[in-house]
Structure formats: C-alpha cells, structure tokens
Amino acid sequence: MFQGKVVWITGASSGIGEAMAMEMAQGGAKLILSARRQDELKRVAAQSGAKEVVVLPFDMTDPNIFPVMVKQVMDHYGRIDMLINNAGISQRSNCVDTDMETYRKIFELDVFGQIALTKAVLPHMITQNSGHIVIISSIAGKIGVASRTAYCAAKHAMMGFFDALRAEVHQHNIMVTCITPGFIKTAISENALKGDGSPYAKIDDDIKFGMDVTKAAKIIMRGFKRGNKEIVVSQIPERAALWVKRLYPNLLFWIMSKRAGKENFK
Ligand SMILES: NC(=O)c1ccc[n+]([C@@H]2O[C@H](COP(=O)([O-])OP(=O)(O)OC[C@H]3O[C@@H](n4cnc5c(N)ncnc54)[C@H](OP(=O)(O)O)[C@@H]3O)[C@@H](O)[C@H]2O)c1
C-alpha cells in the first residue's frame, strides 16, 4: 500500500513519529522526516532503512517556515502522498496554575502548526487529485482529562478542524484520518509543559504503563490498510472510557473528577 509513496512525518525524532517512520520504511515508502533535532532525525533515518529519505528539520511554531519547507519537499520528490501531523506537546498543570503564555505555546504547536503545514501541503494534493492527511490527536481529543486543559482543548480543536476538512476535501480524492491514541510509552510526559512553561521532565504512571510504541504504530498501519477514518490506539481502560462517555456521560465526568483528585502536578 505504501510502496513508493511519499510520506511526510512530523515529530519523527522520537516516540510515535519515530515508530511510524520505521513502519513506513518497511512498507517501502519514501520519507520526509521533520522535527527540531536534526541529529535525532538522522539517527531515525539511518535506522529506518528507508530507500529514500529526506531529513527536514524545522520548528513547527515558526509561522513563516511552512511554504519554504513544502517547496523543498516538492523540489525533491515532486509530490506528497501522505502528511502525518504528529509533532505535539502535552501539559501537566492545573488551569489555575497555568500561564496564558503556556496555553498559547501549546496551541501554537498542537493546533496552529498543524493547520499551517496542512494548508501549505493541501494545494499540491488538490493538484494531484490525491492525498492522505493524518493527525495524531488523542483520547484527550474526545475526553476531558484534569491537568491537561490546554492539551485537551488543542486535541478537541484538531478533531473538529480535521473532521470539517475531511468533508471539504473528499471531492479532491483526499482522505483525512484522525488517530486517537490512549497512553503510549514515549517521552510525552517528560516533554509536557508545567504551568510556567517549563518541562515536566518526569515519566508519569499513565505513560510508564502505556502501550508499547511499536505496537501502537502497527495498529495505526493496520487502520490505514482498512481505510478507517478514525483509528483508536489504546489499551482497554481508555477505549472503555470512550464508550462510557458516549453512553453515560455523567458517569464518565464523575470518574474523571475522582481520578483528578489523585493527581498533583504542582
Ligand atoms: N504518548 C502518548 O501517550 C500520546 C497519547 C495521545 C496522543 N499523543 C500524540 O502523539 C504525538 C507524538 O507524541 P509522542 O508521544 O511521540 O511524544 P514525543 O516522544 O515527545 O514526541 C514529540 C515529537 O514532537 C516534536 N516536536 C516537539 N516540539 C516541536 C516543535 N516546536 N517543532 C517541531 N517538532 C516538535 C519532537 O521533536 P523535537 O524535540 O526534535 O522537535 C518529537 O519528535 C503528539 O501529537 C502527542 O500529542 C501521544
């Protein structure tokens, strides 16, 4: 399915993006790997064994960078078959302790960066009359989790944006897929921001006992092959929470409040 396809993965220097790069390379895709840390991207590129790979480091919070990066990709490959909007940052702080600047920082990457890159890629996919845009949202894009008000708001926003975009671009033969992972064992909690914008720098229990990241990437690949528009990647408790929210929302809100009482992210 991915043999010879040009696949651009953001946040490819670690975690889910890195694992997706490995799976895509195995599937025969030509890769573009982006994130800020060039050395890590080069490591992933080498380990992936991809036949063709472009390492394209950039900061997704730089508002002027996107058309420049897209031009570089188009000059090299001449097309983009799939964009995986994966770069993201989480949060570990209660609302009352979170600076507005921190809210803006999280939105800049998790929302505006992804919209801006998608907007820069979209005209080329429309010209091609084909393409596949993917976002790595989260179960937090469906359910409110304490100490993650910014992150939940950002991921809910992305679900809304990309559901609406799916309806718009169907006529151009462009597919949109939203991935909703639960807890996956990556550096997400270490890189998460505290209220003052500094890194949380700890692996919390949710992540410590999360799903193995290679397993998560394989589930995502299986979802792509099935043509699913939404792919849930989680262990049983997070998956169950989605059903409880749908069937008994008040019960879910009660459970999430009880869970919040046990956490202290100060
Ligand atoms: N792990 C989970 O439990 C989980 C659950 C649900 C959803 N997700 C989502 O999955 C995605 C990947 O996260 P992960 O779990 O793999 O965490 P991760 O290991 O911390 O990876 C985050 C990636 O984003 C990149 N990034 C961060 N800031 C950036 C910036 N300003 N510009 C460009 N790239 C930037 C990082 O690379 P550099 O530092 O090199 O820039 C890194 O490659 C995120 O969108 C996250 O919200 C994760």
mmCIF file with all atom_site columns, all heavy atoms in Angstrom, residues 11 13-16 36-37 59-60 86 109 136-138 151 155 181-182 184 186 188 191 207, ligand 1:
data_model
loop_
_atom_site.group_PDB
_atom_site.id
_atom_site.type_symbol
_atom_site.label_atom_id
_atom_site.label_alt_id
_atom_site.label_comp_id
_atom_site.label_asym_id
_atom_site.label_entity_id
_atom_site.label_seq_id
_atom_site.pdbx_PDB_ins_code
_atom_site.Cartn_x
_atom_site.Cartn_y
_atom_site.Cartn_z
_atom_site.occupancy
_atom_site.B_iso_or_equiv
_atom_site.pdbx_formal_charge
_atom_site.auth_seq_id
_atom_site.auth_comp_id
_atom_site.auth_asym_id
_atom_site.auth_atom_id
_atom_site.pdbx_PDB_model_num
ATOM   1   N N   . GLY A 1 11  ? 7.423  15.411 13.865 1.00 0.00 ? 11  GLY A N   1
ATOM   2   C CA  . GLY A 1 11  ? 7.684  14.802 15.173 1.00 0.00 ? 11  GLY A CA  1
ATOM   3   C C   . GLY A 1 11  ? 8.319  13.429 15.019 1.00 0.00 ? 11  GLY A C   1
ATOM   4   O O   . GLY A 1 11  ? 8.078  12.520 15.818 1.00 0.00 ? 11  GLY A O   1
ATOM   5   N N   . SER A 1 13  ? 11.426 12.579 15.334 1.00 0.00 ? 13  SER A N   1
ATOM   6   C CA  . SER A 1 13  ? 12.697 12.362 16.040 1.00 0.00 ? 13  SER A CA  1
ATOM   7   C C   . SER A 1 13  ? 12.547 11.484 17.273 1.00 0.00 ? 13  SER A C   1
ATOM   8   O O   . SER A 1 13  ? 13.535 11.124 17.905 1.00 0.00 ? 13  SER A O   1
ATOM   9   C CB  . SER A 1 13  ? 13.294 13.718 16.454 1.00 0.00 ? 13  SER A CB  1
ATOM   10  O OG  . SER A 1 13  ? 12.406 14.396 17.321 1.00 0.00 ? 13  SER A OG  1
ATOM   11  N N   . SER A 1 14  ? 11.297 11.141 17.649 1.00 0.00 ? 14  SER A N   1
ATOM   12  C CA  . SER A 1 14  ? 11.110 10.257 18.812 1.00 0.00 ? 14  SER A CA  1
ATOM   13  C C   . SER A 1 14  ? 9.686  9.703  18.810 1.00 0.00 ? 14  SER A C   1
ATOM   14  O O   . SER A 1 14  ? 8.866  10.072 17.961 1.00 0.00 ? 14  SER A O   1
ATOM   15  C CB  . SER A 1 14  ? 11.380 11.011 20.123 1.00 0.00 ? 14  SER A CB  1
ATOM   16  O OG  . SER A 1 14  ? 10.368 11.959 20.354 1.00 0.00 ? 14  SER A OG  1
ATOM   17  N N   . GLY A 1 15  ? 9.439  8.793  19.765 1.00 0.00 ? 15  GLY A N   1
ATOM   18  C CA  . GLY A 1 15  ? 8.081  8.340  20.055 1.00 0.00 ? 15  GLY A CA  1
ATOM   19  C C   . GLY A 1 15  ? 7.292  7.781  18.874 1.00 0.00 ? 15  GLY A C   1
ATOM   20  O O   . GLY A 1 15  ? 7.803  6.987  18.080 1.00 0.00 ? 15  GLY A O   1
ATOM   21  N N   . ILE A 1 16  ? 6.044  8.222  18.780 1.00 0.00 ? 16  ILE A N   1
ATOM   22  C CA  . ILE A 1 16  ? 5.131  7.681  17.772 1.00 0.00 ? 16  ILE A CA  1
ATOM   23  C C   . ILE A 1 16  ? 5.625  7.997  16.352 1.00 0.00 ? 16  ILE A C   1
ATOM   24  O O   . ILE A 1 16  ? 5.555  7.153  15.456 1.00 0.00 ? 16  ILE A O   1
ATOM   25  C CB  . ILE A 1 16  ? 3.695  8.237  17.990 1.00 0.00 ? 16  ILE A CB  1
ATOM   26  C CG1 . ILE A 1 16  ? 3.157  7.770  19.358 1.00 0.00 ? 16  ILE A CG1 1
ATOM   27  C CG2 . ILE A 1 16  ? 2.766  7.804  16.870 1.00 0.00 ? 16  ILE A CG2 1
ATOM   28  C CD1 . ILE A 1 16  ? 1.814  8.389  19.768 1.00 0.00 ? 16  ILE A CD1 1
ATOM   29  N N   . ARG A 1 36  ? 12.586 19.233 15.364 1.00 0.00 ? 36  ARG A N   1
ATOM   30  C CA  . ARG A 1 36  ? 13.646 20.247 15.511 1.00 0.00 ? 36  ARG A CA  1
ATOM   31  C C   . ARG A 1 36  ? 15.032 19.629 15.573 1.00 0.00 ? 36  ARG A C   1
ATOM   32  O O   . ARG A 1 36  ? 15.988 20.180 15.068 1.00 0.00 ? 36  ARG A O   1
ATOM   33  C CB  . ARG A 1 36  ? 13.410 21.077 16.785 1.00 0.00 ? 36  ARG A CB  1
ATOM   34  C CG  . ARG A 1 36  ? 12.205 22.000 16.695 1.00 0.00 ? 36  ARG A CG  1
ATOM   35  C CD  . ARG A 1 36  ? 11.799 22.489 18.047 1.00 0.00 ? 36  ARG A CD  1
ATOM   36  N NE  . ARG A 1 36  ? 11.543 21.376 18.954 1.00 0.00 ? 36  ARG A NE  1
ATOM   37  C CZ  . ARG A 1 36  ? 11.213 21.492 20.233 1.00 0.00 ? 36  ARG A CZ  1
ATOM   38  N NH1 . ARG A 1 36  ? 11.095 22.685 20.760 1.00 0.00 ? 36  ARG A NH1 1
ATOM   39  N NH2 . ARG A 1 36  ? 10.984 20.426 20.976 1.00 0.00 ? 36  ARG A NH2 1
ATOM   40  N N   . ARG A 1 37  ? 15.179 18.444 16.194 1.00 0.00 ? 37  ARG A N   1
ATOM   41  C CA  . ARG A 1 37  ? 16.527 17.890 16.452 1.00 0.00 ? 37  ARG A CA  1
ATOM   42  C C   . ARG A 1 37  ? 17.048 17.096 15.251 1.00 0.00 ? 37  ARG A C   1
ATOM   43  O O   . ARG A 1 37  ? 16.688 15.939 15.052 1.00 0.00 ? 37  ARG A O   1
ATOM   44  C CB  . ARG A 1 37  ? 16.483 17.002 17.701 1.00 0.00 ? 37  ARG A CB  1
ATOM   45  C CG  . ARG A 1 37  ? 16.281 17.777 19.005 1.00 0.00 ? 37  ARG A CG  1
ATOM   46  C CD  . ARG A 1 37  ? 15.981 16.854 20.144 1.00 0.00 ? 37  ARG A CD  1
ATOM   47  N NE  . ARG A 1 37  ? 14.741 16.127 19.947 1.00 0.00 ? 37  ARG A NE  1
ATOM   48  C CZ  . ARG A 1 37  ? 14.401 15.012 20.592 1.00 0.00 ? 37  ARG A CZ  1
ATOM   49  N NH1 . ARG A 1 37  ? 15.219 14.491 21.465 1.00 0.00 ? 37  ARG A NH1 1
ATOM   50  N NH2 . ARG A 1 37  ? 13.245 14.418 20.363 1.00 0.00 ? 37  ARG A NH2 1
ATOM   51  N N   . ASP A 1 59  ? 11.186 24.115 13.099 1.00 0.00 ? 59  ASP A N   1
ATOM   52  C CA  . ASP A 1 59  ? 10.354 24.350 14.277 1.00 0.00 ? 59  ASP A CA  1
ATOM   53  C C   . ASP A 1 59  ? 8.937  24.664 13.816 1.00 0.00 ? 59  ASP A C   1
ATOM   54  O O   . ASP A 1 59  ? 8.704  25.658 13.122 1.00 0.00 ? 59  ASP A O   1
ATOM   55  C CB  . ASP A 1 59  ? 10.945 25.520 15.095 1.00 0.00 ? 59  ASP A CB  1
ATOM   56  C CG  . ASP A 1 59  ? 10.237 25.686 16.433 1.00 0.00 ? 59  ASP A CG  1
ATOM   57  O OD1 . ASP A 1 59  ? 9.055  25.289 16.545 1.00 0.00 ? 59  ASP A OD1 1
ATOM   58  O OD2 . ASP A 1 59  ? 10.872 26.222 17.354 1.00 0.00 ? 59  ASP A OD2 1
ATOM   59  N N   . MET A 1 60  ? 7.989  23.822 14.217 1.00 0.00 ? 60  MET A N   1
ATOM   60  C CA  . MET A 1 60  ? 6.596  23.976 13.777 1.00 0.00 ? 60  MET A CA  1
ATOM   61  C C   . MET A 1 60  ? 5.917  25.207 14.368 1.00 0.00 ? 60  MET A C   1
ATOM   62  O O   . MET A 1 60  ? 4.770  25.496 14.019 1.00 0.00 ? 60  MET A O   1
ATOM   63  C CB  . MET A 1 60  ? 5.779  22.746 14.190 1.00 0.00 ? 60  MET A CB  1
ATOM   64  C CG  . MET A 1 60  ? 6.193  21.455 13.539 1.00 0.00 ? 60  MET A CG  1
ATOM   65  S SD  . MET A 1 60  ? 5.249  21.005 12.080 1.00 0.00 ? 60  MET A SD  1
ATOM   66  C CE  . MET A 1 60  ? 3.570  21.049 12.626 1.00 0.00 ? 60  MET A CE  1
ATOM   67  N N   . ASN A 1 86  ? 2.116  14.789 13.332 1.00 0.00 ? 86  ASN A N   1
ATOM   68  C CA  . ASN A 1 86  ? 2.305  14.057 14.593 1.00 0.00 ? 86  ASN A CA  1
ATOM   69  C C   . ASN A 1 86  ? 2.970  14.902 15.684 1.00 0.00 ? 86  ASN A C   1
ATOM   70  O O   . ASN A 1 86  ? 2.734  14.680 16.869 1.00 0.00 ? 86  ASN A O   1
ATOM   71  C CB  . ASN A 1 86  ? 3.134  12.792 14.296 1.00 0.00 ? 86  ASN A CB  1
ATOM   72  C CG  . ASN A 1 86  ? 3.676  12.150 15.547 1.00 0.00 ? 86  ASN A CG  1
ATOM   73  O OD1 . ASN A 1 86  ? 2.950  11.546 16.328 1.00 0.00 ? 86  ASN A OD1 1
ATOM   74  N ND2 . ASN A 1 86  ? 4.984  12.315 15.765 1.00 0.00 ? 86  ASN A ND2 1
ATOM   75  N N   . LEU A 1 109 ? 1.849  24.931 18.717 1.00 0.00 ? 109 LEU A N   1
ATOM   76  C CA  . LEU A 1 109 ? 2.335  23.680 18.105 1.00 0.00 ? 109 LEU A CA  1
ATOM   77  C C   . LEU A 1 109 ? 1.179  22.727 17.786 1.00 0.00 ? 109 LEU A C   1
ATOM   78  O O   . LEU A 1 109 ? 1.048  22.262 16.645 1.00 0.00 ? 109 LEU A O   1
ATOM   79  C CB  . LEU A 1 109 ? 3.333  22.981 19.052 1.00 0.00 ? 109 LEU A CB  1
ATOM   80  C CG  . LEU A 1 109 ? 3.835  21.615 18.576 1.00 0.00 ? 109 LEU A CG  1
ATOM   81  C CD1 . LEU A 1 109 ? 4.573  21.730 17.246 1.00 0.00 ? 109 LEU A CD1 1
ATOM   82  C CD2 . LEU A 1 109 ? 4.752  20.987 19.628 1.00 0.00 ? 109 LEU A CD2 1
ATOM   83  N N   . ILE A 1 136 ? -2.328 13.035 14.526 1.00 0.00 ? 136 ILE A N   1
ATOM   84  C CA  . ILE A 1 136 ? -2.276 12.241 15.752 1.00 0.00 ? 136 ILE A CA  1
ATOM   85  C C   . ILE A 1 136 ? -2.953 13.112 16.811 1.00 0.00 ? 136 ILE A C   1
ATOM   86  O O   . ILE A 1 136 ? -2.335 14.008 17.388 1.00 0.00 ? 136 ILE A O   1
ATOM   87  C CB  . ILE A 1 136 ? -0.829 11.880 16.162 1.00 0.00 ? 136 ILE A CB  1
ATOM   88  C CG1 . ILE A 1 136 ? -0.039 11.283 14.982 1.00 0.00 ? 136 ILE A CG1 1
ATOM   89  C CG2 . ILE A 1 136 ? -0.860 10.906 17.344 1.00 0.00 ? 136 ILE A CG2 1
ATOM   90  C CD1 . ILE A 1 136 ? -0.477 9.932  14.471 1.00 0.00 ? 136 ILE A CD1 1
ATOM   91  N N   . SER A 1 137 ? -4.237 12.859 16.996 1.00 0.00 ? 137 SER A N   1
ATOM   92  C CA  . SER A 1 137 ? -4.980 13.550 18.053 1.00 0.00 ? 137 SER A CA  1
ATOM   93  C C   . SER A 1 137 ? -4.752 12.764 19.333 1.00 0.00 ? 137 SER A C   1
ATOM   94  O O   . SER A 1 137 ? -3.615 12.415 19.666 1.00 0.00 ? 137 SER A O   1
ATOM   95  C CB  . SER A 1 137 ? -6.457 13.656 17.679 1.00 0.00 ? 137 SER A CB  1
ATOM   96  O OG  . SER A 1 137 ? -7.180 14.247 18.730 1.00 0.00 ? 137 SER A OG  1
ATOM   97  N N   . SER A 1 138 ? -5.786 12.418 20.041 1.00 0.00 ? 138 SER A N   1
ATOM   98  C CA  . SER A 1 138 ? -5.624 11.726 21.322 1.00 0.00 ? 138 SER A CA  1
ATOM   99  C C   . SER A 1 138 ? -7.000 11.351 21.847 1.00 0.00 ? 138 SER A C   1
ATOM   100 O O   . SER A 1 138 ? -8.014 11.946 21.434 1.00 0.00 ? 138 SER A O   1
ATOM   101 C CB  . SER A 1 138 ? -4.961 12.683 22.314 1.00 0.00 ? 138 SER A CB  1
ATOM   102 O OG  . SER A 1 138 ? -4.915 12.119 23.599 1.00 0.00 ? 138 SER A OG  1
ATOM   103 N N   . TYR A 1 151 ? -4.038 20.922 26.574 1.00 0.00 ? 151 TYR A N   1
ATOM   104 C CA  . TYR A 1 151 ? -3.832 19.781 25.664 1.00 0.00 ? 151 TYR A CA  1
ATOM   105 C C   . TYR A 1 151 ? -5.184 19.254 25.159 1.00 0.00 ? 151 TYR A C   1
ATOM   106 O O   . TYR A 1 151 ? -5.356 19.013 23.968 1.00 0.00 ? 151 TYR A O   1
ATOM   107 C CB  . TYR A 1 151 ? -3.060 18.700 26.422 1.00 0.00 ? 151 TYR A CB  1
ATOM   108 C CG  . TYR A 1 151 ? -2.661 17.503 25.605 1.00 0.00 ? 151 TYR A CG  1
ATOM   109 C CD1 . TYR A 1 151 ? -1.735 17.608 24.564 1.00 0.00 ? 151 TYR A CD1 1
ATOM   110 C CD2 . TYR A 1 151 ? -3.184 16.235 25.887 1.00 0.00 ? 151 TYR A CD2 1
ATOM   111 C CE1 . TYR A 1 151 ? -1.355 16.497 23.828 1.00 0.00 ? 151 TYR A CE1 1
ATOM   112 C CE2 . TYR A 1 151 ? -2.797 15.115 25.159 1.00 0.00 ? 151 TYR A CE2 1
ATOM   113 C CZ  . TYR A 1 151 ? -1.883 15.250 24.128 1.00 0.00 ? 151 TYR A CZ  1
ATOM   114 O OH  . TYR A 1 151 ? -1.500 14.147 23.405 1.00 0.00 ? 151 TYR A OH  1
ATOM   115 N N   . LYS A 1 155 ? -6.436 19.239 21.333 1.00 0.00 ? 155 LYS A N   1
ATOM   116 C CA  . LYS A 1 155 ? -6.756 17.999 20.612 1.00 0.00 ? 155 LYS A CA  1
ATOM   117 C C   . LYS A 1 155 ? -8.232 17.966 20.185 1.00 0.00 ? 155 LYS A C   1
ATOM   118 O O   . LYS A 1 155 ? -8.548 17.450 19.115 1.00 0.00 ? 155 LYS A O   1
ATOM   119 C CB  . LYS A 1 155 ? -6.394 16.777 21.471 1.00 0.00 ? 155 LYS A CB  1
ATOM   120 C CG  . LYS A 1 155 ? -4.886 16.622 21.734 1.00 0.00 ? 155 LYS A CG  1
ATOM   121 C CD  . LYS A 1 155 ? -4.082 16.391 20.455 1.00 0.00 ? 155 LYS A CD  1
ATOM   122 C CE  . LYS A 1 155 ? -2.619 16.073 20.724 1.00 0.00 ? 155 LYS A CE  1
ATOM   123 N NZ  . LYS A 1 155 ? -1.825 15.916 19.484 1.00 0.00 ? 155 LYS A NZ  1
ATOM   124 N N   . PRO A 1 181 ? -4.797 8.112  20.052 1.00 0.00 ? 181 PRO A N   1
ATOM   125 C CA  . PRO A 1 181 ? -4.107 7.207  20.981 1.00 0.00 ? 181 PRO A CA  1
ATOM   126 C C   . PRO A 1 181 ? -4.522 7.452  22.425 1.00 0.00 ? 181 PRO A C   1
ATOM   127 O O   . PRO A 1 181 ? -4.848 8.575  22.821 1.00 0.00 ? 181 PRO A O   1
ATOM   128 C CB  . PRO A 1 181 ? -2.616 7.561  20.799 1.00 0.00 ? 181 PRO A CB  1
ATOM   129 C CG  . PRO A 1 181 ? -2.545 8.452  19.595 1.00 0.00 ? 181 PRO A CG  1
ATOM   130 C CD  . PRO A 1 181 ? -3.881 9.123  19.497 1.00 0.00 ? 181 PRO A CD  1
ATOM   131 N N   . GLY A 1 182 ? -4.465 6.371  23.199 1.00 0.00 ? 182 GLY A N   1
ATOM   132 C CA  . GLY A 1 182 ? -4.515 6.481  24.659 1.00 0.00 ? 182 GLY A CA  1
ATOM   133 C C   . GLY A 1 182 ? -3.098 6.692  25.154 1.00 0.00 ? 182 GLY A C   1
ATOM   134 O O   . GLY A 1 182 ? -2.314 7.389  24.510 1.00 0.00 ? 182 GLY A O   1
ATOM   135 N N   . ILE A 1 184 ? 0.600  5.986  25.495 1.00 0.00 ? 184 ILE A N   1
ATOM   136 C CA  . ILE A 1 184 ? 1.627  5.258  24.739 1.00 0.00 ? 184 ILE A CA  1
ATOM   137 C C   . ILE A 1 184 ? 2.977  5.597  25.375 1.00 0.00 ? 184 ILE A C   1
ATOM   138 O O   . ILE A 1 184 ? 3.244  6.778  25.681 1.00 0.00 ? 184 ILE A O   1
ATOM   139 C CB  . ILE A 1 184 ? 1.651  5.694  23.244 1.00 0.00 ? 184 ILE A CB  1
ATOM   140 C CG1 . ILE A 1 184 ? 0.230  5.771  22.648 1.00 0.00 ? 184 ILE A CG1 1
ATOM   141 C CG2 . ILE A 1 184 ? 2.574  4.788  22.442 1.00 0.00 ? 184 ILE A CG2 1
ATOM   142 C CD1 . ILE A 1 184 ? -0.493 4.485  22.454 1.00 0.00 ? 184 ILE A CD1 1
ATOM   143 N N   . THR A 1 186 ? 6.127  6.869  25.516 1.00 0.00 ? 186 THR A N   1
ATOM   144 C CA  . THR A 1 186 ? 7.049  7.741  24.760 1.00 0.00 ? 186 THR A CA  1
ATOM   145 C C   . THR A 1 186 ? 7.572  8.798  25.739 1.00 0.00 ? 186 THR A C   1
ATOM   146 O O   . THR A 1 186 ? 7.293  8.727  26.942 1.00 0.00 ? 186 THR A O   1
ATOM   147 C CB  . THR A 1 186 ? 6.315  8.469  23.611 1.00 0.00 ? 186 THR A CB  1
ATOM   148 O OG1 . THR A 1 186 ? 5.401  9.423  24.196 1.00 0.00 ? 186 THR A OG1 1
ATOM   149 C CG2 . THR A 1 186 ? 5.549  7.518  22.712 1.00 0.00 ? 186 THR A CG2 1
ATOM   150 N N   . ILE A 1 188 ? 6.424  11.692 26.004 1.00 0.00 ? 188 ILE A N   1
ATOM   151 C CA  . ILE A 1 188 ? 5.385  12.738 26.039 1.00 0.00 ? 188 ILE A CA  1
ATOM   152 C C   . ILE A 1 188 ? 5.276  13.438 27.397 1.00 0.00 ? 188 ILE A C   1
ATOM   153 O O   . ILE A 1 188 ? 5.171  14.665 27.454 1.00 0.00 ? 188 ILE A O   1
ATOM   154 C CB  . ILE A 1 188 ? 4.009  12.187 25.573 1.00 0.00 ? 188 ILE A CB  1
ATOM   155 C CG1 . ILE A 1 188 ? 2.982  13.306 25.407 1.00 0.00 ? 188 ILE A CG1 1
ATOM   156 C CG2 . ILE A 1 188 ? 3.439  11.145 26.512 1.00 0.00 ? 188 ILE A CG2 1
ATOM   157 C CD1 . ILE A 1 188 ? 2.840  13.821 24.032 1.00 0.00 ? 188 ILE A CD1 1
ATOM   158 N N   . ASN A 1 191 ? 8.357  15.683 28.140 1.00 0.00 ? 191 ASN A N   1
ATOM   159 C CA  . ASN A 1 191 ? 8.358  16.925 27.362 1.00 0.00 ? 191 ASN A CA  1
ATOM   160 C C   . ASN A 1 191 ? 7.153  17.827 27.649 1.00 0.00 ? 191 ASN A C   1
ATOM   161 O O   . ASN A 1 191 ? 7.103  18.967 27.181 1.00 0.00 ? 191 ASN A O   1
ATOM   162 C CB  . ASN A 1 191 ? 8.386  16.598 25.859 1.00 0.00 ? 191 ASN A CB  1
ATOM   163 C CG  . ASN A 1 191 ? 9.675  15.918 25.453 1.00 0.00 ? 191 ASN A CG  1
ATOM   164 O OD1 . ASN A 1 191 ? 10.723 16.180 26.047 1.00 0.00 ? 191 ASN A OD1 1
ATOM   165 N ND2 . ASN A 1 191 ? 9.621  15.040 24.465 1.00 0.00 ? 191 ASN A ND2 1
ATOM   166 N N   . ILE A 1 207 ? 1.959  6.938  31.512 1.00 0.00 ? 207 ILE A N   1
ATOM   167 C CA  . ILE A 1 207 ? 2.847  6.681  30.368 1.00 0.00 ? 207 ILE A CA  1
ATOM   168 C C   . ILE A 1 207 ? 3.732  5.456  30.632 1.00 0.00 ? 207 ILE A C   1
ATOM   169 O O   . ILE A 1 207 ? 3.957  4.635  29.738 1.00 0.00 ? 207 ILE A O   1
ATOM   170 C CB  . ILE A 1 207 ? 3.706  7.942  30.072 1.00 0.00 ? 207 ILE A CB  1
ATOM   171 C CG1 . ILE A 1 207 ? 2.792  9.136  29.717 1.00 0.00 ? 207 ILE A CG1 1
ATOM   172 C CG2 . ILE A 1 207 ? 4.722  7.672  28.971 1.00 0.00 ? 207 ILE A CG2 1
ATOM   173 C CD1 . ILE A 1 207 ? 1.860  8.904  28.540 1.00 0.00 ? 207 ILE A CD1 1
HETATM 174 N N1  . LIG B 2 .   ? 2.360  9.224  24.060 1.00 0.00 ? 1   LIG B N1  1
HETATM 175 C C1  . LIG B 2 .   ? 1.072  9.328  24.306 1.00 0.00 ? 1   LIG B C1  1
HETATM 176 O O1  . LIG B 2 .   ? 0.571  8.791  25.307 1.00 0.00 ? 1   LIG B O1  1
HETATM 177 C C2  . LIG B 2 .   ? 0.182  10.077 23.356 1.00 0.00 ? 1   LIG B C2  1
HETATM 178 C C3  . LIG B 2 .   ? -1.199 9.907  23.504 1.00 0.00 ? 1   LIG B C3  1
HETATM 179 C C4  . LIG B 2 .   ? -2.044 10.580 22.639 1.00 0.00 ? 1   LIG B C4  1
HETATM 180 C C5  . LIG B 2 .   ? -1.530 11.394 21.660 1.00 0.00 ? 1   LIG B C5  1
HETATM 181 N N2  . LIG B 2 .   ? -0.182 11.558 21.525 1.00 0.00 ? 1   LIG B N2  1
HETATM 182 C C6  . LIG B 2 .   ? 0.304  12.461 20.478 1.00 0.00 ? 1   LIG B C6  1
HETATM 183 O O2  . LIG B 2 .   ? 1.269  11.809 19.697 1.00 0.00 ? 1   LIG B O2  1
HETATM 184 C C7  . LIG B 2 .   ? 2.125  12.785 19.108 1.00 0.00 ? 1   LIG B C7  1
HETATM 185 C C8  . LIG B 2 .   ? 3.568  12.349 19.283 1.00 0.00 ? 1   LIG B C8  1
HETATM 186 O O3  . LIG B 2 .   ? 3.908  12.372 20.655 1.00 0.00 ? 1   LIG B O3  1
HETATM 187 P P1  . LIG B 2 .   ? 4.847  11.275 21.351 1.00 0.00 ? 1   LIG B P1  1
HETATM 188 O O4  . LIG B 2 .   ? 4.030  10.579 22.340 1.00 0.00 ? 1   LIG B O4  1
HETATM 189 O O5  . LIG B 2 .   ? 5.566  10.510 20.327 1.00 0.00 ? 1   LIG B O5  1
HETATM 190 O O6  . LIG B 2 .   ? 5.818  12.257 22.192 1.00 0.00 ? 1   LIG B O6  1
HETATM 191 P P2  . LIG B 2 .   ? 7.340  12.687 21.995 1.00 0.00 ? 1   LIG B P2  1
HETATM 192 O O7  . LIG B 2 .   ? 8.206  11.480 22.019 1.00 0.00 ? 1   LIG B O7  1
HETATM 193 O O8  . LIG B 2 .   ? 7.572  13.767 22.973 1.00 0.00 ? 1   LIG B O8  1
HETATM 194 O O9  . LIG B 2 .   ? 7.397  13.268 20.511 1.00 0.00 ? 1   LIG B O9  1
HETATM 195 C C9  . LIG B 2 .   ? 7.024  14.589 20.201 1.00 0.00 ? 1   LIG B C9  1
HETATM 196 C C10 . LIG B 2 .   ? 7.636  14.951 18.851 1.00 0.00 ? 1   LIG B C10 1
HETATM 197 O O10 . LIG B 2 .   ? 7.260  16.288 18.518 1.00 0.00 ? 1   LIG B O10 1
HETATM 198 C C11 . LIG B 2 .   ? 8.409  17.022 18.121 1.00 0.00 ? 1   LIG B C11 1
HETATM 199 N N3  . LIG B 2 .   ? 8.265  18.433 18.432 1.00 0.00 ? 1   LIG B N3  1
HETATM 200 C C12 . LIG B 2 .   ? 8.074  18.984 19.672 1.00 0.00 ? 1   LIG B C12 1
HETATM 201 N N4  . LIG B 2 .   ? 8.059  20.324 19.583 1.00 0.00 ? 1   LIG B N4  1
HETATM 202 C C13 . LIG B 2 .   ? 8.250  20.624 18.268 1.00 0.00 ? 1   LIG B C13 1
HETATM 203 C C14 . LIG B 2 .   ? 8.342  21.840 17.545 1.00 0.00 ? 1   LIG B C14 1
HETATM 204 N N5  . LIG B 2 .   ? 8.212  23.036 18.144 1.00 0.00 ? 1   LIG B N5  1
HETATM 205 N N6  . LIG B 2 .   ? 8.556  21.795 16.208 1.00 0.00 ? 1   LIG B N6  1
HETATM 206 C C15 . LIG B 2 .   ? 8.689  20.608 15.575 1.00 0.00 ? 1   LIG B C15 1
HETATM 207 N N7  . LIG B 2 .   ? 8.596  19.411 16.201 1.00 0.00 ? 1   LIG B N7  1
HETATM 208 C C16 . LIG B 2 .   ? 8.386  19.419 17.533 1.00 0.00 ? 1   LIG B C16 1
HETATM 209 C C17 . LIG B 2 .   ? 9.548  16.381 18.915 1.00 0.00 ? 1   LIG B C17 1
HETATM 210 O O11 . LIG B 2 .   ? 10.798 16.540 18.255 1.00 0.00 ? 1   LIG B O11 1
HETATM 211 P P3  . LIG B 2 .   ? 11.918 17.665 18.576 1.00 0.00 ? 1   LIG B P3  1
HETATM 212 O O12 . LIG B 2 .   ? 12.007 17.779 20.056 1.00 0.00 ? 1   LIG B O12 1
HETATM 213 O O13 . LIG B 2 .   ? 13.134 17.101 17.920 1.00 0.00 ? 1   LIG B O13 1
HETATM 214 O O14 . LIG B 2 .   ? 11.420 18.900 17.900 1.00 0.00 ? 1   LIG B O14 1
HETATM 215 C C18 . LIG B 2 .   ? 9.153  14.907 18.882 1.00 0.00 ? 1   LIG B C18 1
HETATM 216 O O15 . LIG B 2 .   ? 9.627  14.295 17.713 1.00 0.00 ? 1   LIG B O15 1
HETATM 217 C C19 . LIG B 2 .   ? 1.779  14.109 19.786 1.00 0.00 ? 1   LIG B C19 1
HETATM 218 O O16 . LIG B 2 .   ? 0.953  14.877 18.940 1.00 0.00 ? 1   LIG B O16 1
HETATM 219 C C20 . LIG B 2 .   ? 1.014  13.684 21.023 1.00 0.00 ? 1   LIG B C20 1
HETATM 220 O O17 . LIG B 2 .   ? 0.113  14.662 21.457 1.00 0.00 ? 1   LIG B O17 1
HETATM 221 C C21 . LIG B 2 .   ? 0.684  10.911 22.353 1.00 0.00 ? 1   LIG B C21 1
#
